[in-house]
mmCIF file with all atom_site columns, all heavy atoms in Angstrom:
data_model
loop_
_atom_site.group_PDB
_atom_site.id
_atom_site.type_symbol
_atom_site.label_atom_id
_atom_site.label_alt_id
_atom_site.label_comp_id
_atom_site.label_asym_id
_atom_site.label_entity_id
_atom_site.label_seq_id
_atom_site.pdbx_PDB_ins_code
_atom_site.Cartn_x
_atom_site.Cartn_y
_atom_site.Cartn_z
_atom_site.occupancy
_atom_site.B_iso_or_equiv
_atom_site.pdbx_formal_charge
_atom_site.auth_seq_id
_atom_site.auth_comp_id
_atom_site.auth_asym_id
_atom_site.auth_atom_id
_atom_site.pdbx_PDB_model_num
ATOM 1  N N   . PHE A 1 4  ? 10.530  -34.267 -109.825 1.00 0.00 ? 4  PHE A N   1
ATOM 2  C CA  . PHE A 1 4  ? 9.802   -35.208 -108.977 1.00 0.00 ? 4  PHE A CA  1
ATOM 3  C C   . PHE A 1 4  ? 10.247  -36.609 -109.335 1.00 0.00 ? 4  PHE A C   1
ATOM 4  O O   . PHE A 1 4  ? 10.822  -36.856 -110.405 1.00 0.00 ? 4  PHE A O   1
ATOM 5  C CB  . PHE A 1 4  ? 8.277   -35.064 -109.131 1.00 0.00 ? 4  PHE A CB  1
ATOM 6  C CG  . PHE A 1 4  ? 7.726   -35.603 -110.423 1.00 0.00 ? 4  PHE A CG  1
ATOM 7  C CD1 . PHE A 1 4  ? 7.250   -36.906 -110.516 1.00 0.00 ? 4  PHE A CD1 1
ATOM 8  C CD2 . PHE A 1 4  ? 7.666   -34.812 -111.556 1.00 0.00 ? 4  PHE A CD2 1
ATOM 9  C CE1 . PHE A 1 4  ? 6.746   -37.407 -111.700 1.00 0.00 ? 4  PHE A CE1 1
ATOM 10 C CE2 . PHE A 1 4  ? 7.165   -35.302 -112.754 1.00 0.00 ? 4  PHE A CE2 1
ATOM 11 C CZ  . PHE A 1 4  ? 6.700   -36.600 -112.830 1.00 0.00 ? 4  PHE A CZ  1
ATOM 12 N N   . LYS A 1 5  ? 9.993   -37.540 -108.432 1.00 0.00 ? 5  LYS A N   1
ATOM 13 C CA  . LYS A 1 5  ? 10.164  -38.963 -108.687 1.00 0.00 ? 5  LYS A CA  1
ATOM 14 C C   . LYS A 1 5  ? 8.845   -39.655 -108.375 1.00 0.00 ? 5  LYS A C   1
ATOM 15 O O   . LYS A 1 5  ? 8.153   -39.283 -107.429 1.00 0.00 ? 5  LYS A O   1
ATOM 16 C CB  . LYS A 1 5  ? 11.284  -39.550 -107.815 1.00 0.00 ? 5  LYS A CB  1
ATOM 17 C CG  . LYS A 1 5  ? 12.675  -39.021 -108.153 1.00 0.00 ? 5  LYS A CG  1
ATOM 18 C CD  . LYS A 1 5  ? 13.739  -39.696 -107.304 1.00 0.00 ? 5  LYS A CD  1
ATOM 19 C CE  . LYS A 1 5  ? 15.134  -39.192 -107.672 1.00 0.00 ? 5  LYS A CE  1
ATOM 20 N NZ  . LYS A 1 5  ? 16.193  -39.879 -106.873 1.00 0.00 ? 5  LYS A NZ  1
ATOM 21 N N   . GLY A 1 6  ? 8.519   -40.674 -109.169 1.00 0.00 ? 6  GLY A N   1
ATOM 22 C CA  . GLY A 1 6  ? 7.280   -41.405 -108.944 1.00 0.00 ? 6  GLY A CA  1
ATOM 23 C C   . GLY A 1 6  ? 6.268   -41.138 -110.033 1.00 0.00 ? 6  GLY A C   1
ATOM 24 O O   . GLY A 1 6  ? 6.611   -41.139 -111.219 1.00 0.00 ? 6  GLY A O   1
ATOM 25 N N   . ALA A 1 7  ? 5.018   -40.883 -109.642 1.00 0.00 ? 7  ALA A N   1
ATOM 26 C CA  . ALA A 1 7  ? 3.922   -40.722 -110.598 1.00 0.00 ? 7  ALA A CA  1
ATOM 27 C C   . ALA A 1 7  ? 3.385   -39.303 -110.576 1.00 0.00 ? 7  ALA A C   1
ATOM 28 O O   . ALA A 1 7  ? 2.828   -38.852 -109.571 1.00 0.00 ? 7  ALA A O   1
ATOM 29 C CB  . ALA A 1 7  ? 2.802   -41.708 -110.293 1.00 0.00 ? 7  ALA A CB  1
ATOM 30 N N   . GLY A 1 8  ? 3.551   -38.621 -111.689 1.00 0.00 ? 8  GLY A N   1
ATOM 31 C CA  . GLY A 1 8  ? 2.918   -37.318 -111.872 1.00 0.00 ? 8  GLY A CA  1
ATOM 32 C C   . GLY A 1 8  ? 1.670   -37.497 -112.719 1.00 0.00 ? 8  GLY A C   1
ATOM 33 O O   . GLY A 1 8  ? 1.690   -38.202 -113.729 1.00 0.00 ? 8  GLY A O   1
ATOM 34 N N   . VAL A 1 9  ? 0.571   -36.876 -112.320 1.00 0.00 ? 9  VAL A N   1
ATOM 35 C CA  . VAL A 1 9  ? -0.677  -37.028 -113.059 1.00 0.00 ? 9  VAL A CA  1
ATOM 36 C C   . VAL A 1 9  ? -0.746  -35.989 -114.180 1.00 0.00 ? 9  VAL A C   1
ATOM 37 O O   . VAL A 1 9  ? -0.572  -34.803 -113.961 1.00 0.00 ? 9  VAL A O   1
ATOM 38 C CB  . VAL A 1 9  ? -1.908  -36.911 -112.139 1.00 0.00 ? 9  VAL A CB  1
ATOM 39 C CG1 . VAL A 1 9  ? -1.973  -35.559 -111.421 1.00 0.00 ? 9  VAL A CG1 1
ATOM 40 C CG2 . VAL A 1 9  ? -3.194  -37.183 -112.909 1.00 0.00 ? 9  VAL A CG2 1
ATOM 41 N N   . ALA A 1 10 ? -0.967  -36.477 -115.398 1.00 0.00 ? 10 ALA A N   1
ATOM 42 C CA  . ALA A 1 10 ? -1.287  -35.600 -116.530 1.00 0.00 ? 10 ALA A CA  1
ATOM 43 C C   . ALA A 1 10 ? -2.779  -35.318 -116.432 1.00 0.00 ? 10 ALA A C   1
ATOM 44 O O   . ALA A 1 10 ? -3.609  -36.033 -116.982 1.00 0.00 ? 10 ALA A O   1
ATOM 45 C CB  . ALA A 1 10 ? -0.940  -36.279 -117.847 1.00 0.00 ? 10 ALA A CB  1
ATOM 46 N N   . ILE A 1 11 ? -3.122  -34.274 -115.715 1.00 0.00 ? 11 ILE A N   1
ATOM 47 C CA  . ILE A 1 11 ? -4.493  -34.104 -115.239 1.00 0.00 ? 11 ILE A CA  1
ATOM 48 C C   . ILE A 1 11 ? -5.419  -33.594 -116.336 1.00 0.00 ? 11 ILE A C   1
ATOM 49 O O   . ILE A 1 11 ? -5.015  -32.814 -117.204 1.00 0.00 ? 11 ILE A O   1
ATOM 50 C CB  . ILE A 1 11 ? -4.507  -33.182 -114.001 1.00 0.00 ? 11 ILE A CB  1
ATOM 51 C CG1 . ILE A 1 11 ? -5.748  -33.440 -113.140 1.00 0.00 ? 11 ILE A CG1 1
ATOM 52 C CG2 . ILE A 1 11 ? -4.379  -31.702 -114.388 1.00 0.00 ? 11 ILE A CG2 1
ATOM 53 C CD1 . ILE A 1 11 ? -5.588  -32.997 -111.706 1.00 0.00 ? 11 ILE A CD1 1
ATOM 54 N N   . VAL A 1 12 ? -6.661  -34.083 -116.304 1.00 0.00 ? 12 VAL A N   1
ATOM 55 C CA  . VAL A 1 12 ? -7.672  -33.614 -117.253 1.00 0.00 ? 12 VAL A CA  1
ATOM 56 C C   . VAL A 1 12 ? -8.074  -32.182 -116.893 1.00 0.00 ? 12 VAL A C   1
ATOM 57 O O   . VAL A 1 12 ? -7.862  -31.720 -115.776 1.00 0.00 ? 12 VAL A O   1
ATOM 58 C CB  . VAL A 1 12 ? -8.928  -34.511 -117.247 1.00 0.00 ? 12 VAL A CB  1
ATOM 59 C CG1 . VAL A 1 12 ? -8.574  -35.949 -117.579 1.00 0.00 ? 12 VAL A CG1 1
ATOM 60 C CG2 . VAL A 1 12 ? -9.672  -34.417 -115.919 1.00 0.00 ? 12 VAL A CG2 1
ATOM 61 N N   . THR A 1 13 ? -8.681  -31.499 -117.856 1.00 0.00 ? 13 THR A N   1
ATOM 62 C CA  . THR A 1 13 ? -9.304  -30.206 -117.595 1.00 0.00 ? 13 THR A CA  1
ATOM 63 C C   . THR A 1 13 ? -10.815 -30.416 -117.550 1.00 0.00 ? 13 THR A C   1
ATOM 64 O O   . THR A 1 13 ? -11.435 -30.668 -118.592 1.00 0.00 ? 13 THR A O   1
ATOM 65 C CB  . THR A 1 13 ? -8.954  -29.183 -118.684 1.00 0.00 ? 13 THR A CB  1
ATOM 66 O OG1 . THR A 1 13 ? -7.539  -28.992 -118.724 1.00 0.00 ? 13 THR A OG1 1
ATOM 67 C CG2 . THR A 1 13 ? -9.621  -27.838 -118.401 1.00 0.00 ? 13 THR A CG2 1
ATOM 68 N N   . PRO A 1 14 ? -11.429 -30.330 -116.373 1.00 0.00 ? 14 PRO A N   1
ATOM 69 C CA  . PRO A 1 14 ? -12.883 -30.521 -116.295 1.00 0.00 ? 14 PRO A CA  1
ATOM 70 C C   . PRO A 1 14 ? -13.615 -29.388 -117.018 1.00 0.00 ? 14 PRO A C   1
ATOM 71 O O   . PRO A 1 14 ? -13.174 -28.232 -116.998 1.00 0.00 ? 14 PRO A O   1
ATOM 72 C CB  . PRO A 1 14 ? -13.162 -30.476 -114.787 1.00 0.00 ? 14 PRO A CB  1
ATOM 73 C CG  . PRO A 1 14 ? -11.846 -30.660 -114.119 1.00 0.00 ? 14 PRO A CG  1
ATOM 74 C CD  . PRO A 1 14 ? -10.835 -30.098 -115.053 1.00 0.00 ? 14 PRO A CD  1
ATOM 75 N N   . MET A 1 15 ? -14.716 -29.748 -117.651 1.00 0.00 ? 15 MET A N   1
ATOM 76 C CA  . MET A 1 15 ? -15.532 -28.771 -118.370 1.00 0.00 ? 15 MET A CA  1
ATOM 77 C C   . MET A 1 15 ? -16.968 -28.801 -117.843 1.00 0.00 ? 15 MET A C   1
ATOM 78 O O   . MET A 1 15 ? -17.475 -29.859 -117.450 1.00 0.00 ? 15 MET A O   1
ATOM 79 C CB  . MET A 1 15 ? -15.555 -29.092 -119.871 1.00 0.00 ? 15 MET A CB  1
ATOM 80 C CG  . MET A 1 15 ? -14.203 -29.211 -120.528 1.00 0.00 ? 15 MET A CG  1
ATOM 81 S SD  . MET A 1 15 ? -13.415 -27.617 -120.791 1.00 0.00 ? 15 MET A SD  1
ATOM 82 C CE  . MET A 1 15 ? -11.920 -28.155 -121.665 1.00 0.00 ? 15 MET A CE  1
ATOM 83 N N   . LYS A 1 16 ? -17.598 -27.647 -117.880 1.00 0.00 ? 16 LYS A N   1
ATOM 84 C CA  . LYS A 1 16 ? -19.033 -27.580 -117.618 1.00 0.00 ? 16 LYS A CA  1
ATOM 85 C C   . LYS A 1 16 ? -19.781 -28.029 -118.871 1.00 0.00 ? 16 LYS A C   1
ATOM 86 O O   . LYS A 1 16 ? -19.212 -28.126 -119.955 1.00 0.00 ? 16 LYS A O   1
ATOM 87 C CB  . LYS A 1 16 ? -19.426 -26.154 -117.239 1.00 0.00 ? 16 LYS A CB  1
ATOM 88 C CG  . LYS A 1 16 ? -18.755 -25.647 -115.968 1.00 0.00 ? 16 LYS A CG  1
ATOM 89 C CD  . LYS A 1 16 ? -19.143 -24.200 -115.682 1.00 0.00 ? 16 LYS A CD  1
ATOM 90 C CE  . LYS A 1 16 ? -18.435 -23.685 -114.427 1.00 0.00 ? 16 LYS A CE  1
ATOM 91 N NZ  . LYS A 1 16 ? -18.738 -22.248 -114.171 1.00 0.00 ? 16 LYS A NZ  1
#
Side-chain angles (χ1 to χ4, degrees):
F4 73 93
K5 293 183 178 182
V9 60
I11 204 158
V12 302
T13 300
M15 305 285 183
K16 298 178 182 177

